[in-house]
């Protein structure tokens, strides 16, 4: 449908170009104008029809505007079957400013809404092509109109075919739900039973039995196809008497034909269907695991269904049997489990938990029953202790110890008995120490200078007195007074305290007195001190002990247990 640009539209184009603003066409207007002659030219000066004559307004999505070339743009209205009911014979374009930009008249058209089953709706598509210099640039349309050209007939047919193939992969060539579509005799003659079936992926449903006429001897064939009816494609079927293969009819529709019965006489009817015991929803049927599925390895899960009682020669109690044709019995599995368990009896392992796991005992030196742990006793005996000597035996005690491999003649730990305890030890070694010799040397010494000073001296006070002497004769003292000339002093000094004739002599006690002594100033001086050389020598070194109560590497405390 071509359109005429109105005079108001031409003015709007000039205005927008001068203002350098875009021209936005925003709406389709549908109207039913009484007495409008669609063959007569439109009045370009006329405006929009009165509101009472406008039957529908359609807002143009951005994607529904496209360009044909730089000077032509097209606007499209797509009205689905959900719109109606109304008639129209006039269509106009309005811009965003409310100006009637273009208009066109058409023969009276009907737009009907789909109201099943009373009314089948219709789809209406109207395109407005407007042309003026610079139309693409002024309207800002950037979508190529050629992208609108879709063949929906092909597309919808493709959707239908994909759905059919999807059903075909699920239901196969033909799938009849129970007694669905069974051929037989009814109250009023021959009929096709009600129910659901899938023929080559096309669903066929009959709510109630359908009577058949013209029955002839031979194969009864069900002919199914997807047939076009108005704007839809629906499943249709018919019954053909006689052998019929798949075919394509004159309209290009593919027909799928499957035999459903063989009619020999009213009393001889043979069912040709392969019905499935599906009575409801398919997923519920599959989840229920009902029916006999020939391709499955087992028909059911009970002993009677799989016939275990009929296979005595295919069951073995021998755990050493290596045949894919023989089933292992519970006895064989128990024997195998015992063999594995027995091979581990006596094994010691560390566990990162405080309790011993099932089948293990702590290596704590405990006395345990020789009967309860008979297998372990058979291996260990009384090597780690005889217990009470009759009913118990002792386990190894690994508490606080590191394990060490038995030397077994290698020579790294010679003379060591198996399972024997070994105390800690440090390999014999020495620590050497020395001090460097310093050679012959002197140690310098000095005193501080004292400056100019005096050394004072004194005697005890004696008091005022004279010094005489006396000669002691027969214990009596004779005071001879102070001597003169010094001869007596000489005798005293010569005689060692005795007079000339050998008698003892002594001086008289003179009482408290003092003797004054003077010492002269020494002047400023220093005292020199000399220290002799020590000669070549060394100094003794003492090394102190360090460490704790034992020698050990970094470690983690774990629970050692033994398998019984």
């Amino acid at each position: 449908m071509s359109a005429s640009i109105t005079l108001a539209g031409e003015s709007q184009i000039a205005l927008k170009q001068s203002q350098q603003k875009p021209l936005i066409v925003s709406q389709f207007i549908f109207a039913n104008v009484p007495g409008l002659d669609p063959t007569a030219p439109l009045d370009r000066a006329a405006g929009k029809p009165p509101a009472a004559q406008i039957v529908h307004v359609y807002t143009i999505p951005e994607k529904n505007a496209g360009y044909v070339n730089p000077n032509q743009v097209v606007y499209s209205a797509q009205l689905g079957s959900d719109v109606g009911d109304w008639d129209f014979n006039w269509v106009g374009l309005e811009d965003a400013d409310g100006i009637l930009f273009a208009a066109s008249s058409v023969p009276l058209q009907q737009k009907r809404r789909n109201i099943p089953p009373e009314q089948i709706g219709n789809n209406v598509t109207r395109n407005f092509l407007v042309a003026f210099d610079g139309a693409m640039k002024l309207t800002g349309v950037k979508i190529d109109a050629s992208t609108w050209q879709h063949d929906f007939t092909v597309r919808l047919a493709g959707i239908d075919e994909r759905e059919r193939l999807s059903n075909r992969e699920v239901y196969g060539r033909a799938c009849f739900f129970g007694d669905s579509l069974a051929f037989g005799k009814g109250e009023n003659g021959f009929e096709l039973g009600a129910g659901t079936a899938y023929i080559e992926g096309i669903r066929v449903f009959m709510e109630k039995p359908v009577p058949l006429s013209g029955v002839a001897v031979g194969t009864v064939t069900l002919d199914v196809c997807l047939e076009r009816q108005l704007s839809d494609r629906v499943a249709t079927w018919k019954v053909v008497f006689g052998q019929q293969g798949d075919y394509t009819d004159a309209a290009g529709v593919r027909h799928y034909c499957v035999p459903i019965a063989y009619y020999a006489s009213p009393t001889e009817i043979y069912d040709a269907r392969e019905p499935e015991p599906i009575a409801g929803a398919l997923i519920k049927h599959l989840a229920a695991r009902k029916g006999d599925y020939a391709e499955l390895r087992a028909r059911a899960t009970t002993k009677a269904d799989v016939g275990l009682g009929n296979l005595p020669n295919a069951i073995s109690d021998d755990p050493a049997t290596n045949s894919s044709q023989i089933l292992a019995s519970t006895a064989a599995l128990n024997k195998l489990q015992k063999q594995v368990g027995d091979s581990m009896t006596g094994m010691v392992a560390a566990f990162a938990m405080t309790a011993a796991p099932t089948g293990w005992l702590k290596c704590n030196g405990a006395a345990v029953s020789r009967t309860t742990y008979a297998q372990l006793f058979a291996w260990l005996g009384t090597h780690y202790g005889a217990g009470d000597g009759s009913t118990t035996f002792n386990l190894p005690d690994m508490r606080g110890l590191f394990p060490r491999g038995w030397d077994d003649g290698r020579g790294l730990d010679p003379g060591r008995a198996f399972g024997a305890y070994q105390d800690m030890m440090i390999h014999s070694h020495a620590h050497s120490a020395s001090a460097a010799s310093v050679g012959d040397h002197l140690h310098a010494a000095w005193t501080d200078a004292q400056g100019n000073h005096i050394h004072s001296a004194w005697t005890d006070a004696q008091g005022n007195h004279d010094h005489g002497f006396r000669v002691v004769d027969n214990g009596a003292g004779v005071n001879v007074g102070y001597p003169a000339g010094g001869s007596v002093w000489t005798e005293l000094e010569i005689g060692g305290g005795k007079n000339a004739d050998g008698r003892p002599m002594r001086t008289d006690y003179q009482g408290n007195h003092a003797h004054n002594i003077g010492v002269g100033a020494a002047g400023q001086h220093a005292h020199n001190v000399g220290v002799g050389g020590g000669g070549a020598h060394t100094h003794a070194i003492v090394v102190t002990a360090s460490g704790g109560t034992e020698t050990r590497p970094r470690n983690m405390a774990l629970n050692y247990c033994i398998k019984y």
Side-chain angles (χ1 to χ4, degrees):
M1 178 179 66
S2 62
S4 299
I5 298 177
T6 65
L7 296 180
E10 289 183 354
S11 298
Q12 191 74 333
I13 292 171
L15 177 62
K16 296 296 184 181
Q17 288 177 337
S18 65
Q19 294 176 340
Q20 296 185 344
K21 293 181 179 180
L23 172 63
I24 306 300
V25 176
S26 58
Q27 294 185 132
F28 271 84
I29 299 175
F30 295 86
N32 186 354
V33 180
L36 180 65
D37 183 1
T39 62
L42 281 175
D43 183 2
R44 295 178 60 212
K48 292 185 294 184
Q53 298 176 6
I54 295 176
V55 294
H56 187 72
V57 175
Y58 174 85
T59 301
I60 304 172
E62 183 178 354
K63 63 182 180 64
N64 283 22
Y67 66 87
V68 177
N69 58 52
N71 298 322
Q72 292 181 337
V73 292
V74 61
Y75 298 93
S76 179
Q78 297 172 346
L79 306 177
S81 59
D82 58 338
V83 177
D85 291 344
W86 36 266
D87 300 338
F88 67 98
N89 58 4
W90 181 94
V91 182
L93 285 181
E94 186 178 64
D95 74 356
D97 294 337
I99 303 299
L100 180 62
F101 178 72
S104 177
S105 61
V106 295
L108 187 65
Q109 307 285 309
Q110 290 185 338
K111 178 67 187 77
R112 296 294 179 262
R113 184 165 61 93
N114 193 39
I115 308 176
E118 293 84 4
Q119 176 175 288
I120 298 176
N122 63 334
N123 298 318
V124 172
T125 300
R126 290 294 179 264
N127 297 319
F128 246 116
L129 178 67
V130 293
F132 58 90
D133 291 342
M136 175 182 170
K137 180 178 180 182
L138 185 63
T139 58
V141 174
K142 299 179 180 179
I143 299 175
D144 189 341
S146 63
T147 60
W148 295 350
Q149 305 306 312
H150 298 296
D151 188 345
F152 287 100
T153 300
V154 174
R155 179 173 177 81
L156 293 174
I159 293 174
D160 290 339
E161 181 64 11
R162 285 193 295 272
E163 181 183 16
R164 185 192 70 80
L165 292 175
S166 178
N167 291 336
R168 172 67 168 81
E169 291 170 356
V170 174
Y171 297 101
R173 165 72 173 175
C175 178
F176 298 89
F177 288 16
D179 290 334
S180 299
L181 279 63
F183 175 80
K185 291 190 68 175
E187 295 180 356
N188 300 315
F190 291 98
E191 65 181 18
L192 202 61
T196 302
Y198 280 86
I199 307 301
E200 275 293 334
I202 301 174
R203 183 175 183 268
V204 179
F205 172 71
M206 298 182 191
E207 187 175 0
K208 57 185 180 179
V210 177
L212 299 175
S213 59
V215 176
V217 174
T219 301
V220 181
T221 301
L222 184 66
D223 184 335
V224 179
C225 70
L226 281 176
E227 182 180 69
R228 181 171 181 177
Q229 294 182 1
L230 298 178
S231 60
D232 198 4
R233 284 172 37 130
V234 297
T236 60
W237 61 271
K238 62 182 177 180
V239 172
V240 178
F241 296 98
Q243 190 71 32
Q244 176 68 57
D246 295 349
Y247 66 96
T248 301
D249 64 19
V253 177
R254 186 67 175 170
H255 290 246
Y256 304 99
C257 302
V258 295
I260 58 174
Y262 181 79
Y263 175 69
S265 69
T267 59
E268 291 183 274
I269 301 175
Y270 303 97
D271 194 355
R273 301 171 310 124
E274 294 183 3
E276 299 291 346
I278 303 173
L282 181 62
I283 190 64
K284 290 182 178 180
H285 170 76
L286 296 176
R289 296 188 175 94
K290 293 180 180 179
D292 185 3
Y293 300 94
E295 298 301 320
L296 296 182
R297 294 183 179 180
R299 296 172 55 195
T301 56
T302 66
K303 178 179 178 180
D305 286 332
V306 297
L308 285 178
N310 298 324
L311 302 173
N313 297 327
I315 302 174
S316 172
D317 293 339
D318 182 6
T321 298
N322 186 26
S323 173
S324 60
Q325 302 300 317
I326 298 177
L327 301 176
S329 66
T330 302
L333 295 177
N334 288 336
K335 289 179 182 179
L336 179 61
Q337 183 179 22
K338 187 176 185 303
Q339 288 179 359
V340 174
D342 289 348
S343 69
M344 297 174 62
T345 299
M347 183 178 75
V348 173
F351 293 89
M353 50 190 178
T354 57
T358 302
W360 298 73
L361 295 171
K362 288 186 176 181
C363 290
N364 57 5
V368 296
S369 172
R370 298 185 181 188
T371 303
T372 304
Y373 306 107
Q375 184 63 45
L376 182 60
F377 178 65
W379 285 100
L380 301 187
T382 60
H383 189 83
Y384 299 98
D388 62 5
S390 60
T391 63
T392 63
F393 69 102
N394 292 94
L395 301 173
D397 195 345
M398 289 289 297
R399 293 174 297 176
L401 302 181
F402 292 93
R404 179 175 184 176
W406 178 39
D407 186 273
D408 197 19
R410 183 178 182 183
L412 295 179
D413 188 19
R416 175 89 177 276
F418 175 80
Y421 170 80
Q422 189 177 62
D423 205 351
M424 67 181 71
M425 180 184 292
I426 299 177
H427 194 283
S428 179
H429 63 285
H431 298 277
S432 61
S434 63
S437 177
V438 297
D440 194 4
H441 62 285
L442 295 176
H443 296 279
W446 63 90
T447 63
D448 296 334
Q450 304 301 317
N452 190 16
H453 64 284
I454 297 175
H455 298 277
S456 63
W458 62 88
T459 65
D460 295 334
Q462 303 299 322
N464 191 20
H465 67 282
D466 289 329
H467 292 280
F469 68 90
R470 63 181 175 179
V471 177
V472 179
D473 187 8
N474 297 322
V478 179
N479 189 359
V480 296
Y482 188 83
S487 61
V488 179
W489 298 112
T490 302
E491 289 179 0
L492 290 172
E493 292 173 358
I494 294 173
K498 299 182 179 180
N499 62 5
D501 56 10
R503 292 177 292 177
M505 296 178 64
R506 65 182 181 185
T507 62
D508 295 331
Y509 174 70
Q510 297 305 320
N512 186 28
H513 66 282
H515 299 277
N516 297 321
I517 299 175
V519 181
Q524 183 174 351
H525 65 281
H527 299 277
N528 295 321
V529 178
V531 180
H537 64 283
T538 61
H539 299 276
I541 297 175
V542 177
V543 180
T544 59
S546 64
T549 59
E550 64 178 358
T551 300
R552 61 175 179 264
R554 292 186 179 92
N555 61 87
M556 176 181 289
L558 297 174
N559 184 16
Y560 279 95
C561 300
I562 187 168
K563 181 74 174 66
Y564 63 79

